[in-house]
Amino acid sequence: MASTATTRVVTPSRAHRPAKKRGVASWRPLPPLAFLVVLLVAWEYVPRAFGIPSFVFPPLSEVLQALLDPAATRSFLYNTQVTLIEAFSGLAIGTVLGLVLGVVLVEVDILHRMIYPYIVAIQSIPKVAIAPLFVIWFGFGLTSKIVVVALLAFFPVLLGTMSGIRSVSAEHIALFKVHRATRGQIRRKLLLPSALPSIFTGFEMAVVFSTLGAIVGEFVGAQAGLGVLILQAQYRMNTGAVFACLLILCAVGITLNVIVRLVRRRILYWVPGEKSLKV
């Protein structure tokens, strides 16, 4: 009887646990969506209620009208494509350079002592200050913007790679050496897999900086891109078009961040806590 009573008490509690988790998961997207609805409603009615002029802060309806205007849609699509090409190209170059140089600087101490201080010095210079030089050197085309993006994306990936590799314990490295693993095998099967969480953290920052670098480069000098559209709209006092470009940039940033987080969860499935990472 005692065992039967115990079964009756324990079984229902176990049965209800998954249902509770499913309920919590189903409610999780509601707070952000509710906040978004409140924000959009406030954007539409608060400027009207306080009599704020449209050229200062336009209501949401005017921004959507500028964004969805058939005459401007083609221009928005083309310039968004140009900005994304600059951002993705610079991101790819900066990521590869950060990964390679991060591994080299950790493994070769003399290079780290020689080069790293100058990397920090270059990184400390605001990119707005040196972007005009890139325009002079590489012209008004895509190249100057790609260089700016690559510089911004390079440093976070470099730091993530170096900190991740240095976090590997000496005991694990010694264990690989005991089994006569080569330097390439240690790097490929121990150091880089162990450093992946830190590398992805740096890469997430680099993704954010990529669109920022593209816009900064376009502000300094460009023939096309969302930064050019923003400057043109500013000269015409078309605040609705400026906000339309900002909405596009927000959508691009959120989409890229979600993609990176999904890829991170898929690749780092073996890392504790990655599966529960909120996207």
Side-chain angles (χ1 to χ4, degrees), residues 44 46 67 87 92 160-161 164 186 191 228 230-231 233 248 254 266 274:
E44 175 63 27
V46 169
L67 180 62
T161 303
I186 295 175
L191 298 181
V228 175
I230 292 174
L231 291 177
I248 294 174
I254 292 173
R266 188 65 178 269
E274 289 294 336

Side-chain angles (χ1 to χ4, degrees), residues 38-98:
V38 173
L39 181 64
L40 295 179
V41 171
W43 189 354
E44 175 63 27
Y45 292 104
V46 169
R48 300 180 187 276
F50 288 91
I52 300 176
S54 296
F55 68 88
V56 176
F57 195 91
L60 178 62
S61 57
E62 294 188 14
V63 176
L64 294 179
Q65 182 179 358
L67 180 62
L68 302 177
D69 183 7
T73 301
R74 182 176 298 179
S75 176
F76 279 126
L77 291 176
Y78 171 72
N79 287 280
T80 301
Q81 180 182 1
V82 171
T83 299
L84 289 178
I85 291 174
E86 296 166 352
F88 290 159
S89 301
L91 178 64
I93 295 172
T95 300
V96 172
L97 290 178

Side-chain angles (χ1 to χ4, degrees), residues 193-224:
S194 300
L196 276 179
S198 296
I199 293 174
F200 264 101
T201 301
F203 183 69
E204 286 186 40
M205 297 178 61
V207 169
V208 175
F209 291 157
S210 63
T211 53
L212 172 64
I215 297 299
V216 168
E218 291 168 357
F219 279 168
V220 175
Q223 298 173 337

Side-chain angles (χ1 to χ4, degrees), residues 62-250:
E62 294 188 14
V63 176
L64 294 179
Q65 182 179 358
L67 180 62
L68 302 177
D69 183 7
T73 301
R74 182 176 298 179
S75 176
F76 279 126
L77 291 176
Y78 171 72
N79 287 280
T80 301
Q81 180 182 1
V82 171
T83 299
L84 289 178
I85 291 174
E86 296 166 352
F88 290 159
S89 301
L91 178 64
I93 295 172
T95 300
V96 172
L97 290 178
L99 282 171
V100 174
L101 193 57
V103 174
V104 172
L105 292 183
V106 171
E107 293 189 352
V108 185
D109 184 63
I110 187 172
L111 284 180
H112 178 269
R113 286 185 280 129
M114 289 174 55
I115 298 176
Y116 188 74
Y118 300 102
I119 294 177
V120 175
I122 294 174
Q123 188 64 26
S124 64
I125 301 175
K127 300 305 174 287
V128 179
I130 58 177
L133 288 177
F134 296 147
V135 173
I136 295 174
W137 294 340
F138 304 108
F140 289 91
L142 297 178
T143 305
S144 57
K145 269 66 72 181
I146 291 174
V147 173
V148 174
V149 175
L151 278 179
L152 284 173
F154 162 76
F155 199 65
V157 177
L158 174 72
L159 289 182
T161 303
M162 293 176 63
S163 63
I165 293 177
R166 286 173 174 170
S167 65
V168 180
S169 65
E171 289 79 6
H172 289 161
I173 298 176
L175 181 62
F176 269 68
K177 291 181 178 179
V178 166
H179 289 83
R180 297 182 180 179
T182 63
R183 177 175 294 183
Q185 290 174 332
I186 295 175
R187 185 187 304 119
R188 187 174 63 255
K189 296 184 178 182
L190 175 62
L191 298 181
L192 289 179
S194 300
L196 276 179
S198 296
I199 293 174
F200 264 101
T201 301
F203 183 69
E204 286 186 40
M205 297 178 61
V207 169
V208 175
F209 291 157
S210 63
T211 53
L212 172 64
I215 297 299
V216 168
E218 291 168 357
F219 279 168
V220 175
Q223 298 173 337
L226 290 176
V228 175
L229 286 186
I230 292 174
L231 291 177
Q232 292 175 351
Q234 174 194 354
Y235 295 148
R236 299 194 304 266
M237 299 294 290
N238 188 356
T239 314
V242 174
F243 274 93
C245 294
L246 296 180
L247 282 180
I248 294 174
L249 289 172
C250 288

